[in-house]
């Protein structure tokens, strides 16, 4: 086995870790990425719905989303020499009741205050944009600069390019602990090996909690199962990313022609685990019923595959992207709470700045690790 | 089970072959050359190949090509096909219309 | 949610057998199968099965299917057809597509008996219409009554390739050639011999280079392969054909088990991905069992026994049977399974080149390489003897588990003995009466009746005949030798058909006496 | 070609004769048999042309697994003809990519 020392050790070969590795390598750092699974991007990175959106996001992470969509996503395919199937045809968040519309305009106002072009539109306007939607839709929030991409290709594209730049990826390498040496996080202990780096980026999704625990840090997050399904290829219908006020489902039509939709059954907090992310027997059917209410014409589309993934749901539903002053050398990037994909390139780039420059161009103070406070 | 796999492993150089344009995944029309190329791009597992190229992601869900893909990848990596774990199986086992999947009887 | 004591997925030989065993112990059993007809692959099998009486030997596959289904119904098993199990979830819950609905069921035990799927090979043009799986050919001709093509080239000399080639001829198609990259025929010699004597050429150590044609197959080019499986330039041969049939092995269809989280292993001896399971088919997930090809590729006969074992084990686990009864049952079933796994083709000998039979006879290399026995070779086997008057000539030269000929003869002329894989021998003290029961009973169609004193200078040869049209008595034609070459004129002197022969007709031809040990097939002129 | 009489299976029992349309042309088959069987008996080999390369495909597995034999049936694409029973008046069309129209093919 080769050298186990590098400038940066990244724990987690998902899209966050891979993107960070890529941008770090681009800036001349030596990087080793350790991934527990046999496959890169085997967690949420390959299991999400592919949204690349700004609308509907919490104010604290909105700058990351806006920055990425403006500066990184449009050229990502060329940059990674991988077609990541980025499509910027806008995002419709659909509402069917006045109650829904209230939720949506609240979110829209929030985003507008951050300078995002998002507005409320009527049912008719919705159907002008996407004529396949049923009359049950009475309005939506509309963000024309949102879109979607292929999560698997984006994740593996970052990997491919980072690997080309000399980043060492090791899969099947489960990290058990981080070890401080003379007051500084320096060693990464796996079941069989010890790695050493000047900096350690912890981007291991849910597993981050256990690993951070070994240096006395706790991030309040918990697992929640998300499920998705994909249809056979259908004739090209629309390019928008879709969501709903109540999050019945979300999704889009891919470049391939298939539709990818995610959704929930409301029992997500209670799903059993047999060691693999296993679908529940009821969710796919529930998602189908949700979709058909909005898209009656998709009722004959055949589902070819369903899958599930555990997300790292943070207590306040936004990620922790933060240096740890208490544990020098350690950087956290976890708790993405099911919406990390769209901001991943930006997060990767900011992480590289954190390591190389010591600070980031974007203000990430609101995503610090020590923000969690009791309610009163 | 998870096994340590260093992705910086040096493979034999990619040499184009006569049959690189042979279709392997019939549904998604993925060729042998594309699969071989993907291995050199770093896709060392069948799951990664599948996510990268869509092999076995079509209508038949890999019922026809999975063994063929495995053989090609194994050869390219210089390992035995048995060392490569097939991609996960997922419901539904046959393509199922949304209106059917959405109509549950308990 | 509707719950059953036992849910069986797949109504093939193993699934039905498992269901029968469990239902007989009082379990509430339901079987789901995605096909419109039950029986799995049995319904496409129109040949007589090998084995012993207990294994339903000499009964045709589809008839075994019918019998199993009747037995299942009598035992109270509910068989639901056109019912596709699309998922196997936690807590042994399945989702089934029935019509335009999804139904959820739970089983206290689940037996997955989903069988196998066909392997494929690639060559230039392999996606052209006209290139089909051997299973597709069987489905079209034996289930739907449609010829897969007019002129077919078969790739693969395992039992599937051999049996399907013969079935293609029975369906009125021409088999242009049988090709295999392996240097020797993989299936039973008797199956190969049936084809060779009809004139089908065998090309071992050959592979398909290209399927010719623009929008459909119009021909095939094959070429010789060297020891490294590379084609030898200049060795190409072209055949006119409209269909290429692929019979290159099966893989367990184990996706449901993988989905359910059963621990899997890749076992080339079992044909691919199979669940890890104990001797009686229980997987790493308690209460989920497997039986038949999904747990390892074998024959339908062993699948039925495995099904019974899994059904028995499940019945005991759920308290429908005590351990003592289970152990007795399982011991008997294991013994039966063991007997089927004996012989040249048993798992232990897989891939080995055996030189001698158990009896010490040389194994015919000609049979392994060309599909037929050499004229001199045939004389050394215990079933091939010479006597005055009519007598059986049993060209059965490989140790395979099969013995119906022994029981077929009313005069006890044929002896196999205790060991079911022994070659049949002629009892010199018994007197053949020429009834032909042995000819019809031989699943390998390897028994002939020869009478070298039929007429002055003429001998008679009685052979099994399963083609249409059936020649008439007095018809003139040519006798073909074991390799399919025309060797002499021949006249049909007798046709025997009988219910007891089960569609195997006995054709007696008259040939010059020196042709008695050569003529093995008849072609009308 | 249909097998009129089989040496082992005898005469195959057929359902009611029905007519259906193959690419607009009337064809006959038997009710309940797979669409693919009726097409095969009528000499049809090409069921579809693939999406990426426009290559012809036909029956391959005949048991509903490989999905190579899919066609547009009564306006719906991707119908597995080898396991879909034939009905009177069905409109069966060659599939181009995922549509019945040749012009919708990409590339």
């Amino acid at each position: 086995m080769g050298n186990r020392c590098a400038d940066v050790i990244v724990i987690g070969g998902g899209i966050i870790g891979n993107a960070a590795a890529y941008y770090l390598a681009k800036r001349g750092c030596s990087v080793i990425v350790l991934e527990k699974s046999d496959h890169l991007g085997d967690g949420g990175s390959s299991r999400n719905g592919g949204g690349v959106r700004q609308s509907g996001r919490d104010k604290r992470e909105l700058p990351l989303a806006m920055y990425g969509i403006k500066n990184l996503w449009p050229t990502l395919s060329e940059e990674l020499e991988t077609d990541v199937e980025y499509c910027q045809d806008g995002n419709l968040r659909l509402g069917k009741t006045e109650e829904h519309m209230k939720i949506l305009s609240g979110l829209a106002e929030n985003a507008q205050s951050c300078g995002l072009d998002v507005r409320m539109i009527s049912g008719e306007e919705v159907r002008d944009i996407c004529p396949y939607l049923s009359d049950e839709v009475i309005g939506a929030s509309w963000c024309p600069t949102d879109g979607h991409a292929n999560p698997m290709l984006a994740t593996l594209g970052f990997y491919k390019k980072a690997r080309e730049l000399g980043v060492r990826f090791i899969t099947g390498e489960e990290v058990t602990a981080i070890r401080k040496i003379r007051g500084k996080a320096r060693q990464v202990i796996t079941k069989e090996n010890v790695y050493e780096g000047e900096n350690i980026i912890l981007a291991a999704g849910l597993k981050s909690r256990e690993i951070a625990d070994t240096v006395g840090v706790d991030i309040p997050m918990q697992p929640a199962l998300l499920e998705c399904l994909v249809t056979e290829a259908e004739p090209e219908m629309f390019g928008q990313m879709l969501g709903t006020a109540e999050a019945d489902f979300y999704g889009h039509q891919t470049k391939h022609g298939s539709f990818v939709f995610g959704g929930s059954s409301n029992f997500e907090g209670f799903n059993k685990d047999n060691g693999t992310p296993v679908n529940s027997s009821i969710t796919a059917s529930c998602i189908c019923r949700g979709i058909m209410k909005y898209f009656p014409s998709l009722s004959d589309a055949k589902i070819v595959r369903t899958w599930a993934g555990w997300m790292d749901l943070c207590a306040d539903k936004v990620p922790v992207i933060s240096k740890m002053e208490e544990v020098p050398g350690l950087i956290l990037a976890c708790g993405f709470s099911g919406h990390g994909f769209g901001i991943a390139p930006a997060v990767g780039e900011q992480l590289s700045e954190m390591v190389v420059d010591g600070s980031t161009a974007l203000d990430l103070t609101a995503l610090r690790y020590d923000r969690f406070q009791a309610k009163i | 089970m998870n096994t340590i796999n260093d992705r910086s492993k040096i493979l034999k150089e990619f040499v184009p072959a006569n049959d690189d344009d042979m279709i392997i995944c019939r549904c998604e029309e993925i060729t042998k050359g594309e699969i071989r190329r993907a291995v050199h791009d770093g896709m060392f597992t069948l799951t990664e190949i599948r996510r990268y190229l869509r092999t076995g992601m079509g209508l038949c869900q890999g019922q026809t090509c999975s063994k063929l893909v495995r053989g090609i990848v194994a050869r390219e990596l210089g390992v035995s096909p048995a060392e490569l774990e097939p991609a996960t199986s997922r419901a539904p086992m046959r393509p199922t219309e949304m209106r059917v999947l959405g109509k549950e009887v308990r | 949610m509707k719950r059953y004591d036992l849910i069986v997925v797949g109504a093939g030989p193993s699934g039905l057998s498992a269901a029968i065993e469990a239902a007989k112990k009082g379990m509430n059993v339901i079987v789901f199968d995605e096909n419109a007809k039950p029986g799995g692959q049995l319904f496409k099998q129109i040949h007589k099965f090998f084995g012993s009486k207990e294994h339903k030997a000499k009964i045709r596959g589809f008839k075994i299917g019918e019998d199993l289904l009747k037995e299942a119904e009598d035992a109270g098993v509910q068989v639901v057809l056109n019912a596709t199990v699309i998922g196997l979830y936690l807590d042994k819950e399945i989702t089934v597509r029935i019509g335009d609905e999804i139904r959820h069921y739970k089983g206290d035990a689940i037996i997955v008996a989903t069988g196998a799927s066909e392997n494929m090979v690639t060559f230039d043009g392999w996606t052209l219409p006209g290139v089909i799986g051997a299973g597709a050919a069987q489905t079209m001709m034996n289930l739907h009554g449609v010829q897969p093509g007019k002129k077919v080239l078969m790739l693969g000399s395992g039992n599937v390739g051999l049996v399907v080639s013969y079935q293609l001829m029975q369906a009125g198609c021409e088999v242009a050639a049988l090709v295999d990259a392996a240097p020797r025929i993989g299936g039973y010699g008797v199956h190969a011999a049936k084809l060779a004597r009809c004139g089908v050429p065998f090309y071992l150590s050959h592979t398909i280079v290209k399927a010719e044609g623009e929008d459909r197959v119009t021909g095939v080019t094959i070429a010789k392969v060297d020891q490294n499986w590379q084609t030898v330039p200049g060795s190409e041969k072209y055949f006119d054909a409209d269909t290429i049939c692929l019979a290159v092995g099966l893989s367990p269809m184990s996706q449901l088990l993988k989905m359910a989280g059963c621990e899997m292993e890749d076992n080339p001896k079992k044909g691919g991905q199979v669940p890890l399971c104990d001797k009686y088919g229980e997987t790493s997930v308690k209460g989920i069992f497997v039986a038949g090809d999904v747990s390892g590729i074998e024959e339908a006969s062993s699948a039925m026994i495995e099904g019974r074992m899994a059904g028995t084990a499940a019945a005991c686990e759920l308290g429908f049977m005590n351990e003592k009864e289970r152990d007795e049952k399982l011991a008997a079933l294991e013994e039966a399974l063991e007997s089927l796994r004996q012989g040249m083709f048993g798992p232990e000998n897989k891939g080995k080149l055996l030189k001698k039979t158990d009896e010490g006879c040389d194994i015919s290399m000609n049979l392994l390489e060309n599909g037929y026995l050499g004229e001199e070779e045939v004389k050394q086997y215990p079933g091939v003897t010479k006597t005055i008057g009519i007598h059986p000539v049993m060209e059965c030269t490989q140790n395979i588990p099969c013995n119906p000929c022994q029981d077929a003869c009313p005069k006890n002329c044929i002896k196999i003995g205790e060991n079911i894989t022994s070659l049949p021998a002629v009892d010199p003290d018994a007197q053949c009466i020429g009834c032909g029961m042995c000819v019809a009973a031989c699943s390998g169609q390897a028994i002939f009746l020869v009478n070298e004193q039929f007429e002055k200078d003429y001998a008679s040869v009685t052979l099994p005949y399963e083609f249409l049209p059936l020649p008439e008595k007095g018809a003139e034609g040519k006798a073909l030798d074991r390799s399919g070459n025309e060797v002499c004129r021949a006249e049909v002197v007798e046709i025997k058909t009988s219910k007891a022969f089960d569609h195997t007709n006995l054709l007696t031809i008259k040939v010059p006496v020196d042709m008695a040990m050569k003529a093995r097939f008849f072609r009308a002129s | 070609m249909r097998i009129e009489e089989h040496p082992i299976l005898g005469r195959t029992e057929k359902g009611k004769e029905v007519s259906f349309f193959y690419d607009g042309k009337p064809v006959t088959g038997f009710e309940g048999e797979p669409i693919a069987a009726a097409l095969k008996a009528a000499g049809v080999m090409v069921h579809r042309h693939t999406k990426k390369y426009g290559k012809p495909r036909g029956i391959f597995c005949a048991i509903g697994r490989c999905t190579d034999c899919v066609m547009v049936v009564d306006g719906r694409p991707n119908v597995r003809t080898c396991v879909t029973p034939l009905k009177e008046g069905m409109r069966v069309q060659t599939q181009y990519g995922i549509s019945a129209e040749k012009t919708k093919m990409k590339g």
Side-chain angles (χ1 to χ4, degrees), chain C residues 260-287:
Chain C
C262 300
E263 277 178 49
M264 309 291 286
E265 64 160 344
D266 196 274
N267 189 334
K269 278 194 173 155
K270 293 180 170 184
Q273 277 279 310
V274 289
L276 290 170
C277 56
D278 69 14
K279 223 161 58 175
Y280 311 119
E282 188 160 15
T283 67
S284 64
V285 179
K286 198 170 161 59

mmCIF file of all heavy atoms in Angstrom, chain C residues 260-287:
data_model
loop_
_atom_site.group_PDB
_atom_site.id
_atom_site.type_symbol
_atom_site.label_atom_id
_atom_site.label_comp_id
_atom_site.label_asym_id
_atom_site.label_seq_id
_atom_site.Cartn_x
_atom_site.Cartn_y
_atom_site.Cartn_z
ATOM 1 N N ALA C 260 -34.149 -8.729 -0.672
ATOM 2 C CA ALA C 260 -34.611 -9.005 0.684
ATOM 3 C C ALA C 260 -33.471 -8.966 1.698
ATOM 4 O O ALA C 260 -33.701 -9.100 2.896
ATOM 5 C CB ALA C 260 -35.292 -10.364 0.735
ATOM 6 N N GLY C 261 -32.263 -8.795 1.214
ATOM 7 C CA GLY C 261 -31.132 -8.689 2.134
ATOM 8 C C GLY C 261 -30.518 -10.025 2.514
ATOM 9 O O GLY C 261 -29.745 -10.100 3.477
ATOM 10 N N CYS C 262 -30.851 -11.095 1.771
ATOM 11 C CA CYS C 262 -30.226 -12.389 2.052
ATOM 12 C C CYS C 262 -28.748 -12.293 1.681
ATOM 13 O O CYS C 262 -28.395 -11.649 0.707
ATOM 14 C CB CYS C 262 -30.856 -13.494 1.215
ATOM 15 S SG CYS C 262 -32.607 -13.695 1.517
ATOM 16 N N GLU C 263 -27.922 -12.946 2.468
ATOM 17 C CA GLU C 263 -26.503 -12.960 2.119
ATOM 18 C C GLU C 263 -26.319 -13.782 0.857
ATOM 19 O O GLU C 263 -26.853 -14.877 0.740
ATOM 20 C CB GLU C 263 -25.689 -13.573 3.261
ATOM 21 C CG GLU C 263 -25.372 -12.565 4.343
ATOM 22 C CD GLU C 263 -24.615 -13.199 5.486
ATOM 23 O OE1 GLU C 263 -23.622 -13.905 5.210
ATOM 24 O OE2 GLU C 263 -25.030 -13.004 6.642
ATOM 25 N N MET C 264 -25.551 -13.237 -0.068
ATOM 26 C CA MET C 264 -25.390 -13.895 -1.357
ATOM 27 C C MET C 264 -23.938 -14.319 -1.540
ATOM 28 O O MET C 264 -23.035 -13.794 -0.885
ATOM 29 C CB MET C 264 -25.756 -12.929 -2.491
ATOM 30 C CG MET C 264 -27.096 -12.247 -2.350
ATOM 31 S SD MET C 264 -28.503 -13.336 -2.545
ATOM 32 C CE MET C 264 -28.500 -13.618 -4.308
ATOM 33 N N GLU C 265 -23.731 -15.244 -2.442
ATOM 34 C CA GLU C 265 -22.360 -15.579 -2.823
ATOM 35 C C GLU C 265 -22.331 -15.773 -4.317
ATOM 36 O O GLU C 265 -23.348 -16.060 -4.945
ATOM 37 C CB GLU C 265 -21.890 -16.871 -2.126
ATOM 38 C CG GLU C 265 -22.680 -18.097 -2.543
ATOM 39 C CD GLU C 265 -21.952 -19.412 -2.267
ATOM 40 O OE1 GLU C 265 -20.734 -19.393 -2.040
ATOM 41 O OE2 GLU C 265 -22.623 -20.458 -2.295
ATOM 42 N N ASP C 266 -21.152 -15.600 -4.871
ATOM 43 C CA ASP C 266 -21.005 -15.867 -6.280
ATOM 44 C C ASP C 266 -20.377 -17.231 -6.398
ATOM 45 O O ASP C 266 -19.257 -17.449 -5.971
ATOM 46 C CB ASP C 266 -20.108 -14.824 -6.918
ATOM 47 C CG ASP C 266 -20.266 -14.877 -8.412
ATOM 48 O OD1 ASP C 266 -19.579 -15.684 -9.068
ATOM 49 O OD2 ASP C 266 -21.112 -14.133 -8.916
ATOM 50 N N ASN C 267 -21.135 -18.161 -6.928
ATOM 51 C CA ASN C 267 -20.651 -19.527 -6.984
ATOM 52 C C ASN C 267 -20.747 -20.045 -8.413
ATOM 53 O O ASN C 267 -21.820 -20.416 -8.878
ATOM 54 C CB ASN C 267 -21.500 -20.391 -6.035
ATOM 55 C CG ASN C 267 -20.928 -21.775 -5.881
ATOM 56 O OD1 ASN C 267 -20.225 -22.270 -6.775
ATOM 57 N ND2 ASN C 267 -21.223 -22.400 -4.757
ATOM 58 N N PRO C 268 -19.608 -20.045 -9.109
ATOM 59 C CA PRO C 268 -19.632 -20.463 -10.519
ATOM 60 C C PRO C 268 -20.204 -21.881 -10.686
ATOM 61 O O PRO C 268 -20.843 -22.182 -11.682
ATOM 62 C CB PRO C 268 -18.164 -20.423 -10.935
ATOM 63 C CG PRO C 268 -17.493 -19.524 -9.952
ATOM 64 C CD PRO C 268 -18.260 -19.668 -8.668
ATOM 65 N N LYS C 269 -19.995 -22.733 -9.692
ATOM 66 C CA LYS C 269 -20.513 -24.102 -9.789
ATOM 67 C C LYS C 269 -22.034 -24.114 -9.794
ATOM 68 O O LYS C 269 -22.671 -25.041 -10.275
ATOM 69 C CB LYS C 269 -20.005 -24.949 -8.618
ATOM 70 C CG LYS C 269 -18.621 -25.477 -8.878
ATOM 71 C CD LYS C 269 -18.275 -26.574 -7.881
ATOM 72 C CE LYS C 269 -16.947 -27.209 -8.276
ATOM 73 N NZ LYS C 269 -16.261 -27.818 -7.167
ATOM 74 N N LYS C 270 -22.633 -23.099 -9.187
ATOM 75 C CA LYS C 270 -24.093 -23.045 -9.135
ATOM 76 C C LYS C 270 -24.656 -22.116 -10.200
ATOM 77 O O LYS C 270 -25.856 -21.857 -10.235
ATOM 78 C CB LYS C 270 -24.532 -22.586 -7.745
ATOM 79 C CG LYS C 270 -24.199 -23.613 -6.679
ATOM 80 C CD LYS C 270 -24.640 -23.155 -5.313
ATOM 81 C CE LYS C 270 -24.514 -24.318 -4.320
ATOM 82 N NZ LYS C 270 -25.008 -23.978 -3.007
ATOM 83 N N GLY C 271 -23.783 -21.585 -11.013
ATOM 84 C CA GLY C 271 -24.255 -20.782 -12.140
ATOM 85 C C GLY C 271 -24.292 -19.294 -11.883
ATOM 86 O O GLY C 271 -24.757 -18.538 -12.726
ATOM 87 N N GLY C 272 -23.834 -18.826 -10.726
ATOM 88 C CA GLY C 272 -23.800 -17.379 -10.501
ATOM 89 C C GLY C 272 -24.157 -16.987 -9.083
ATOM 90 O O GLY C 272 -23.796 -17.672 -8.122
ATOM 91 N N GLN C 273 -24.913 -15.900 -8.967
ATOM 92 C CA GLN C 273 -25.282 -15.340 -7.661
ATOM 93 C C GLN C 273 -26.355 -16.192 -7.003
ATOM 94 O O GLN C 273 -27.474 -16.270 -7.504
ATOM 95 C CB GLN C 273 -25.860 -13.938 -7.861
ATOM 96 C CG GLN C 273 -24.816 -12.862 -7.970
ATOM 97 C CD GLN C 273 -24.299 -12.422 -6.618
ATOM 98 O OE1 GLN C 273 -25.075 -12.117 -5.723
ATOM 99 N NE2 GLN C 273 -22.989 -12.413 -6.466
ATOM 100 N N VAL C 274 -26.016 -16.778 -5.899
ATOM 101 C CA VAL C 274 -27.007 -17.567 -5.161
ATOM 102 C C VAL C 274 -26.983 -17.154 -3.699
ATOM 103 O O VAL C 274 -25.959 -16.685 -3.203
ATOM 104 C CB VAL C 274 -26.718 -19.088 -5.273
ATOM 105 C CG1 VAL C 274 -27.008 -19.593 -6.670
ATOM 106 C CG2 VAL C 274 -25.286 -19.405 -4.890
ATOM 107 N N PRO C 275 -28.105 -17.328 -3.016
ATOM 108 C CA PRO C 275 -28.097 -17.006 -1.593
ATOM 109 C C PRO C 275 -27.323 -18.077 -0.835
ATOM 110 O O PRO C 275 -27.326 -19.242 -1.232
ATOM 111 C CB PRO C 275 -29.576 -17.045 -1.223
ATOM 112 C CG PRO C 275 -30.180 -17.985 -2.218
ATOM 113 C CD PRO C 275 -29.397 -17.810 -3.481
ATOM 114 N N LEU C 276 -26.683 -17.645 0.238
ATOM 115 C CA LEU C 276 -26.093 -18.647 1.117
ATOM 116 C C LEU C 276 -27.250 -19.324 1.828
ATOM 117 O O LEU C 276 -28.151 -18.650 2.329
ATOM 118 C CB LEU C 276 -25.199 -17.960 2.150
ATOM 119 C CG LEU C 276 -23.896 -17.357 1.619
ATOM 120 C CD1 LEU C 276 -23.236 -16.509 2.699
ATOM 121 C CD2 LEU C 276 -22.964 -18.444 1.142
ATOM 122 N N CYS C 277 -27.265 -20.645 1.841
ATOM 123 C CA CYS C 277 -28.364 -21.288 2.558
ATOM 124 C C CYS C 277 -27.917 -22.600 3.161
ATOM 125 O O CYS C 277 -26.878 -23.141 2.795
ATOM 126 C CB CYS C 277 -29.576 -21.464 1.664
ATOM 127 S SG CYS C 277 -29.275 -22.361 0.170
ATOM 128 N N ASP C 278 -28.699 -23.078 4.111
ATOM 129 C CA ASP C 278 -28.343 -24.341 4.734
ATOM 130 C C ASP C 278 -28.773 -25.476 3.802
ATOM 131 O O ASP C 278 -29.305 -25.254 2.729
ATOM 132 C CB ASP C 278 -28.919 -24.438 6.151
ATOM 133 C CG ASP C 278 -30.442 -24.552 6.162
ATOM 134 O OD1 ASP C 278 -31.051 -24.818 5.101
ATOM 135 O OD2 ASP C 278 -31.029 -24.363 7.248
ATOM 136 N N LYS C 279 -28.544 -26.708 4.279
ATOM 137 C CA LYS C 279 -28.774 -27.880 3.445
ATOM 138 C C LYS C 279 -30.224 -27.955 2.948
ATOM 139 O O LYS C 279 -30.518 -28.534 1.927
ATOM 140 C CB LYS C 279 -28.459 -29.118 4.296
ATOM 141 C CG LYS C 279 -27.693 -30.140 3.556
ATOM 142 C CD LYS C 279 -26.970 -31.141 4.428
ATOM 143 C CE LYS C 279 -27.820 -31.940 5.372
ATOM 144 N NZ LYS C 279 -27.087 -32.965 6.099
ATOM 145 N N TYR C 280 -31.136 -27.377 3.718
ATOM 146 C CA TYR C 280 -32.544 -27.520 3.349
ATOM 147 C C TYR C 280 -33.116 -26.255 2.733
ATOM 148 O O TYR C 280 -34.319 -26.104 2.590
ATOM 149 C CB TYR C 280 -33.350 -27.964 4.571
ATOM 150 C CG TYR C 280 -32.682 -29.145 5.238
ATOM 151 C CD1 TYR C 280 -32.238 -29.093 6.542
ATOM 152 C CD2 TYR C 280 -32.439 -30.311 4.484
ATOM 153 C CE1 TYR C 280 -31.566 -30.169 7.121
ATOM 154 C CE2 TYR C 280 -31.756 -31.385 5.047
ATOM 155 C CZ TYR C 280 -31.328 -31.312 6.370
ATOM 156 O OH TYR C 280 -30.667 -32.363 6.894
ATOM 157 N N GLY C 281 -32.229 -25.332 2.401
ATOM 158 C CA GLY C 281 -32.680 -24.192 1.615
ATOM 159 C C GLY C 281 -33.023 -22.933 2.392
ATOM 160 O O GLY C 281 -33.524 -21.980 1.812
ATOM 161 N N GLU C 282 -32.767 -22.903 3.712
ATOM 162 C CA GLU C 282 -33.074 -21.669 4.433
ATOM 163 C C GLU C 282 -31.922 -20.678 4.263
ATOM 164 O O GLU C 282 -30.756 -21.012 4.429
ATOM 165 C CB GLU C 282 -33.320 -21.930 5.925
ATOM 166 C CG GLU C 282 -33.820 -20.672 6.639
ATOM 167 C CD GLU C 282 -34.532 -20.965 7.960
ATOM 168 O OE1 GLU C 282 -34.410 -22.089 8.472
ATOM 169 O OE2 GLU C 282 -35.219 -20.062 8.467
ATOM 170 N N THR C 283 -32.281 -19.437 3.922
ATOM 171 C CA THR C 283 -31.266 -18.420 3.664
ATOM 172 C C THR C 283 -30.845 -17.769 4.977
ATOM 173 O O THR C 283 -31.287 -18.171 6.055
ATOM 174 C CB THR C 283 -31.819 -17.326 2.741
ATOM 175 O OG1 THR C 283 -32.841 -16.616 3.447
ATOM 176 C CG2 THR C 283 -32.398 -17.911 1.465
ATOM 177 N N SER C 284 -30.027 -16.734 4.862
ATOM 178 C CA SER C 284 -29.558 -16.038 6.072
ATOM 179 C C SER C 284 -30.699 -15.264 6.736
ATOM 180 O O SER C 284 -30.571 -14.854 7.880
ATOM 181 C CB SER C 284 -28.412 -15.093 5.721
ATOM 182 O OG SER C 284 -28.866 -14.072 4.854
ATOM 183 N N VAL C 285 -31.776 -15.033 6.017
ATOM 184 C CA VAL C 285 -32.939 -14.387 6.629
ATOM 185 C C VAL C 285 -33.887 -15.501 7.088
ATOM 186 O O VAL C 285 -34.401 -16.266 6.265
ATOM 187 C CB VAL C 285 -33.667 -13.448 5.642
ATOM 188 C CG1 VAL C 285 -34.888 -12.825 6.301
ATOM 189 C CG2 VAL C 285 -32.724 -12.369 5.134
ATOM 190 N N LYS C 286 -34.066 -15.590 8.361
ATOM 191 C CA LYS C 286 -34.879 -16.671 8.912
ATOM 192 C C LYS C 286 -36.273 -16.663 8.284
ATOM 193 O O LYS C 286 -36.906 -15.614 8.178
ATOM 194 C CB LYS C 286 -34.995 -16.515 10.419
ATOM 195 C CG LYS C 286 -35.423 -17.797 11.105
ATOM 196 C CD LYS C 286 -35.288 -17.665 12.614
ATOM 197 C CE LYS C 286 -36.104 -18.711 13.356
ATOM 198 N NZ LYS C 286 -35.736 -20.098 13.026
ATOM 199 N N GLY C 287 -36.702 -17.841 7.855
ATOM 200 C CA GLY C 287 -38.042 -17.940 7.277
ATOM 201 C C GLY C 287 -38.078 -17.738 5.768
ATOM 202 O O GLY C 287 -39.104 -17.977 5.151
#
